[in-house]
Amino acid sequence: QFFLRFEQNEIVTEYIAPKSTQTSIFKSAGPPASDLASLGTKDPLIFLSLNLDVNNLLTSAGADPAMQQNVDMMTGALGLTHDQMAKIFTGSVVVAACDYKNIVETSPRVHKENQAVLGEMPVEIASTMGTMMNIEVPVTTISLGITDENAATDIMTMIGMKKMGENFWAAPGVELVVYTAITPTQMVITNDYLTAETIAKEHKLSGKLPDAYAKQIPLQSFALYMDFEKEHLPPLLLAPESPLLDAADLAGYVALSGILQSVRYESSPTTSTFHFVMKDGEDNSLMRILQFLQPK
C-alpha cells in the first residue's frame, strides 16, 4: 500500500509492506566512508548512494512470483547462486555523474577502433560519422561494494568482459563504452577509460567529495543530491559560445536540486518512507496548493 501525505513543508511518501515481508531492503546506515572517499568525485552534478541489504533484497524479490524469474536470470547470468551473490556484494552502491567529456576521444581503444572503421568509409560519410561521434556526455561512475576481489574478477570472465590490464576490463567491441575496475572492496563501472584505468592502478581517484556530501551520506541508507549551482558546474555546460544549459534550464535544475538534496529516507520492518522537504515560506508552491485546497 502506498500513501502520499502533504504536510506543512514536506511531501511524505510511505510504502507499507505486506505482513509476510517483515523485512527492510535497506541497512540502517549509509555506504562506508571508504567507498565514498575512493571515488574522489568533486562537485558532482548528480550523486546517489544506497546501502542495501542484498540478502533481504534477493529474498523479497524471489518471494514475489512476478520477480522470481528476473532474480534467477540475474544471478544465473553472473554464474552465482542467491547465497553467493548476497555474500559477494555488500549492498553499498554509489552513483555519480560529474563532468562532460568526449569519452570516444579519451579512450585509446575506442578511438583507435573508430578511426579504423572511418578509414574504410567514403570521405563524406566518414566526416558525417566523425561529427556524430564527437559528442560529450556525463562521466558516470557506479561503485558496488564487494567482499571478494577474486570472485568479482571471475564475474568479469563469466560475462565476457575484455581484460585491458591488471584489475581493468572493457566491454568487447565499441557498441558499449563500458569499463570496470576492481579493487579489494569495490567494483567500479564507468563510461570513462581514464577513470577506470586510474582506479584499477591507484584504487582511488585524486579528487575529493565536497564536505556537504561526505559528512551526510554515511548517515543515510538512501541519499540523492543534484547540484546545479552555477559555481559548481563543469565549464563545458556553460560554454559562452554554445552552452548546454541556458539560463532557464539552469534555474529549473537549481530549483529541483533544492528539493532532492533534502530527501530523507526512513525504514522499518513494515514501512519505507521518503520525505521530500520543501522550502518554508509563503512562496512555497506546496503551501499555496494546501491553502487553495482548504475548505472556504
Side-chain angles (χ1 to χ4, degrees):
Q1 293 178 298
F2 282 94
F3 294 90
L4 185 65
R5 299 200 308 271
F6 293 88
E7 299 186 354
Q8 180 67 8
N9 69 331
E10 63 182 307
I11 302 173
V12 181
T13 65
E14 184 175 39
Y15 168 66
I16 299 180
K19 290 183 178 180
S20 59
T21 303
Q22 296 292 310
T23 183
S24 173
I25 64 171
F26 284 94
K27 295 181 180 178
S28 58
S34 58
D35 287 9
L36 303 174
S38 64
L39 290 181
T41 303
K42 185 177 184 298
D43 296 333
L45 303 177
I46 299 173
F47 195 96
L48 169 69
S49 67
L50 306 171
N51 202 10
L52 302 167
D53 187 314
V54 180
N55 188 64
N56 284 353
L57 175 62
L58 292 173
T59 299
S60 298
D64 182 347
M67 288 296 296
Q68 185 175 3
Q69 185 176 0
N70 294 330
V71 173
D72 292 342
M73 288 176 62
M74 177 177 65
T75 54
L78 297 177
L80 302 172
T81 65
H82 172 135
D83 292 341
Q84 288 172 331
M85 187 166 182
K87 184 177 180 181
I88 292 173
F89 292 98
T90 65
S92 169
V93 181
V94 182
V95 182
C98 61
D99 200 353
Y100 276 70
K101 186 184 292 187
N102 187 329
I103 58 174
V104 171
E105 291 298 315
T106 58
S107 170
R109 178 183 71 98
V110 178
H111 178 73
K112 181 179 179 180
E113 293 191 23
N114 276 338
Q115 289 301 111
V117 171
L118 294 175
E120 298 175 356
M121 296 180 177
V123 176
E124 296 81 3
I125 298 177
S127 177
T128 302
M129 291 295 294
T131 301
M132 293 173 61
M133 294 176 182
N134 189 33
I135 58 174
E136 292 165 340
V137 299
V139 174
T140 304
T141 307
I142 304 172
S143 169
L144 305 174
I146 58 173
T147 59
D148 190 331
E149 185 177 3
N150 292 328
T153 298
D154 291 341
I155 290 175
M156 294 297 100
T157 303
M158 172 66 67
I159 63 177
M161 293 289 276
K162 178 181 178 181
K163 191 164 187 178
M164 303 293 294
E166 190 67 24
N167 304 321
F168 182 19
W169 286 264
V174 294
E175 293 82 6
L176 291 175
V177 185
V178 177
Y179 301 98
T180 301
I182 294 178
T183 77
T185 60
Q186 289 173 291
M187 176 188 291
V188 179
I189 304 166
T190 179
N191 61 349
D192 181 41
Y193 179 96
L194 298 178
T195 294
E197 183 182 49
T198 301
I199 291 177
K201 291 180 178 178
E202 308 293 335
H203 292 181
K204 63 179 182 179
L205 297 173
S206 59
K208 180 183 178 183
L209 280 173
D211 289 342
Y213 306 147
K215 291 179 181 178
Q216 295 183 47
I217 292 172
L219 305 176
Q220 304 178 68
S221 55
F222 172 93
L224 173 62
Y225 294 89
M226 293 175 63
D227 187 352
F228 285 91
E229 293 294 344
K230 192 170 183 178
E231 60 270 22
H232 293 161
L233 290 177
L236 287 170
L237 282 177
L238 306 172
E241 296 180 1
S242 56
L244 295 175
L245 288 179
D246 60 23
D249 292 331
L250 185 57
Y253 284 124
V254 169
L256 179 61
S257 68
I259 297 175
L260 294 179
Q261 287 182 184
S262 61
V263 173
R264 298 197 327 272
Y265 173 81
E266 298 172 353
S267 176
S268 74
T270 57
T271 63
S272 300
T273 307
F274 286 92
H275 297 256
F276 296 85
V277 182
M278 313 291 286
K279 180 181 177 182
D280 199 8
E282 293 183 358
D283 61 338
N284 183 330
S285 59
L286 173 60
M287 294 181 69
R288 291 203 302 270
I289 292 173
L290 291 176
Q291 291 170 0
F292 177 80
L293 295 174
Q294 287 177 355
K296 298 293 189 292

